[in-house]
Amino acid sequence: MKKITNSNRRSFLTSSAAIAGVAAISSISNFNINIAKADHASAAPKGIPEYIKWKNRNALIIHTEGTIETHRDMIGNGIITPIENVYIRNNVNSLNDQQIGNRPDWKLEVQGVQKPTTFTLAELQKMPLKITPMVLQCSGNGRKFFAHGPSGTKWDTGSAACVIFSGVSVKYLAELCGGLTAGAKFITGTGADVPKGIDPKEGAVERSVPISTYEDCLLAWEVNGVPIQNAHGGPLRLVVPGYYGINNIKHVNKLVFADKESDFKMMSTRYRVYKIGNKATANDGTCWEMNVKSWITTPLTTAKTGKVVFTGVAFSNGTPLKGVALSFDEGKNWKAAKFVGPNLGKFAWRQFQFEANLEKGNYTVASRATDEKGSQPKLRFENNEGYSHNGWLDHSVKITVA
Ligand SMILES: Nc1nc2c(c(=O)[nH]1)N[C@H]1C(S)=C(S)[C@@H](COP(=O)(O)O)O[C@H]1N2
Ligand SMILES: [Mo]
């Protein structure tokens, strides 16, 4: 087993930057009713796997049974992505109702605190609420642009969404358990969706994030105002705002505060950012904080001459956004777009718009977001697995104006 040394470890963001409800008991039964509706809609639309038949077929690109993305222009214009349109990425099949059992009885074990305690969902739901609008994005979003053909789903822009998670603060829970044990440097969450017949160390989704996320993390049971569906990790999900999708553990049943990262494969060698052709090691950067990113969502192919309104989204790891600019000449000149709609907090994305007056012709239009730490780079950062792509050139759109 590889010895893990944490001192020289950095999140990919850092390394790439260097290179370039308080639910009353009575309402818990309603939770079950809502879930039943969502997970048991009458018939699955064509091409939609049975376990997510409640999803909006028109909004989705089905890569495989467990990897489904949102069309670039189907995230909606209301900042928050409708849950029927939100992407799905499963390493392991989602738990079904039978595996989950009676939802209020779902158990979460908390360790690495003064008084290790196991809580039920019903108990968590009586605690003070923490509500966080945030971007959920797979670390492989944009992988389709990598020319070396990395294995894994060839996501375009659609393994990303902006959603609102509601639950209880991880810090609140730890304090209820007498506080952290001395020397806690990481928060580790484990999913109950352990593949059958495989050593959990090899197959279970267990990830660690730095203790610096302590104040932001939550254990969520609702998304966009409804109980978290099975496919999105119900009944309880660890949410780490500003961090890539994989750190947001679905079906979480264990939370550990420790001085070391998990030695499970999902942490030690998966989701590592390393040179093309190399093998992953636990010393390569891991997919933690998201880098600053934006993309245009409409128009994507054609427009009429005259006034053309470009719309898109921009976000960061929580570092305040300064703005978004558009270029029609591959980055020689940039013009400021304006943000529209309310700011839902540092972890949510902002929608931007830009009005252009365009004559007949072909245009390549790029968007570039800037936060207080810097701007999106022009090019992707090449890496074996095709992670963390935030280059503006690949994400530009080619529009024919007629
Ligand atoms: N337990 C568990 N958590 C998980 C996963 C999983 O397969 N099992 N997939 C991860 C990955 S890679 C991503 S991108 C997000 C996807 O979340 P979504 O399917 O709700 O959109 O969940 C993460 N959390
Ligand atoms: Mo992911």
Side-chain angles (χ1 to χ4, degrees):
M1 207 197 325
K2 279 177 195 86
K3 181 117 208 298
I4 301 175
T5 50
N6 298 310
S7 54
N8 57 353
R9 192 83 50 75
R10 290 179 299 185
S11 72
F12 177 55
L13 182 84
T14 325
S15 50
S16 72
I19 300 154
V22 185
I25 288 286
S26 65
S27 71
I28 285 168
S29 54
N30 295 337
F31 280 42
N32 289 325
I33 290 163
N34 287 340
I35 272 296
K37 268 192 200 149
D39 283 331
H40 306 289
S42 42
K46 206 163 179 264
I48 290 265
E50 195 64 19
Y51 77 101
I52 45 159
K53 54 189 173 189
W54 53 275
K55 287 272 176 183
N56 178 4
R57 178 68 188 96
N58 297 333
L60 303 170
I61 302 163
I62 320 267
H63 293 286
T64 68
E65 172 101 9
T67 50
I68 290 152
E69 90 170 275
T70 314
H71 281 289
R72 188 158 173 167
D73 55 357
M74 287 301 280
I75 54 167
N77 289 322
I79 307 178
I80 298 304
T81 317
I83 199 69
E84 299 80 17
N85 294 16
V86 172
Y87 81 100
I88 294 276
R89 184 350 182 174
N90 287 329
N91 284 282
V92 186
N93 289 344
S94 307
L95 296 184
N96 59 34
D97 286 345
Q98 211 189 337
Q99 292 166 313
I100 290 170
N102 190 29
R103 299 170 85 84
D105 296 335
W106 180 266
K107 285 186 179 57
L108 175 80
E109 202 183 317
V110 183
Q111 294 176 5
V113 285
Q114 299 301 336
K115 289 178 285 179
T117 310
T118 297
F119 297 92
T120 63
L121 177 59
E123 287 168 338
L124 298 179
Q125 288 177 330
K126 287 176 213 153
M127 294 178 188
L129 276 173
K130 183 173 175 77
I131 305 166
T132 305
M134 54 166 264
V135 175
L136 182 69
Q137 182 192 215
C138 183
S139 39
N141 203 26
R143 182 182 286 126
K144 80 158 200 187
F145 299 109
F146 285 82
H148 69 288
S151 66
T153 306
K154 292 187 167 28
W155 304 107
D156 187 339
T157 60
S159 57
C162 189
V163 293
I164 304 178
F165 280 114
S166 305
V168 63
S169 151
V170 160
K171 184 180 177 196
Y172 178 89
L173 207 62
E175 285 176 355
L176 210 61
C177 299
L180 303 179
T181 47
K185 285 196 195 125
F186 298 95
I187 305 173
T188 299
T190 312
D193 50 337
V194 183
K196 273 208 185 80
I198 295 174
D199 177 1
K201 262 195 167 180
E202 293 293 306
V205 180
E206 181 175 288
R207 291 278 300 174
S208 305
V209 293
I211 198 74
S212 56
T213 61
Y214 188 46
E215 310 234 338
D216 295 327
C217 288
L218 59 154
L219 288 148
W221 54 82
E222 277 196 27
V223 63
N224 295 359
V226 294
I228 300 180
Q229 300 82 0
N230 299 352
H232 288 299
L236 193 66
R237 185 167 188 173
L238 173 64
V239 168
V240 188
Y243 278 56
Y244 283 110
I246 184 60
N247 303 290
N248 298 266
I249 311 291
K250 305 184 193 188
H251 317 296
V252 66
N253 65 1
K254 197 164 114 188
L255 192 69
V256 179
F257 301 92
D259 59 349
K260 287 191 182 66
E261 290 180 17
S262 165
D263 60 1
F264 278 36
K265 193 172 169 186
M266 286 291 170
M267 190 67 213
S268 60
T269 53
R270 299 278 312 272
Y271 297 94
R272 295 281 166 181
V273 178
Y274 55 95
K275 259 178 81 177
I276 296 173
N278 280 9
K279 279 222 146 45
T281 75
N283 291 317
D284 296 310
T286 189
C287 294
W288 274 342
E289 286 177 79
M290 299 192 288
N291 46 27
V292 64
K293 190 168 180 179
S294 71
W295 58 82
I296 290 165
T297 53
T298 53
L300 296 177
T301 50
T302 57
K304 280 198 177 138
T305 52
K307 193 183 266 183
V308 181
V309 181
F310 290 87
T311 301
V313 291
F315 60 95
S316 68
N317 63 347
T319 305
L321 279 176
K322 284 172 76 176
V324 176
L326 262 61
S327 176
F328 292 77
D329 54 13
E330 295 211 349
K332 286 184 205 82
N333 298 285
W334 292 95
K335 292 172 188 162
K338 59 174 195 285
F339 288 134
V340 289
N343 182 347
L344 297 184
K346 61 182 183 173
F347 297 116
W349 62 30
R350 298 294 314 260
Q351 288 181 297
F352 64 83
Q353 287 204 317
F354 182 87
E355 290 182 21
N357 244 312
L358 299 180
E359 293 171 358
K360 265 192 184 173
N362 295 315
Y363 298 83
T364 299
V365 191
S367 70
R368 185 183 69 183
T370 301
D371 69 15
E372 282 181 1
K373 289 193 182 141
S375 294
Q376 284 179 252
K378 178 175 183 179
L379 303 177
R380 58 183 179 266
F381 174 74
E382 301 292 355
N383 66 94
N384 199 66
E385 305 292 321
Y387 286 135
S388 287
H389 189 355
N390 72 335
W392 56 255
L393 186 62
D394 285 343
H395 289 91
S396 60
V397 291
K398 287 189 165 38
I399 308 288
T400 302
V401 177

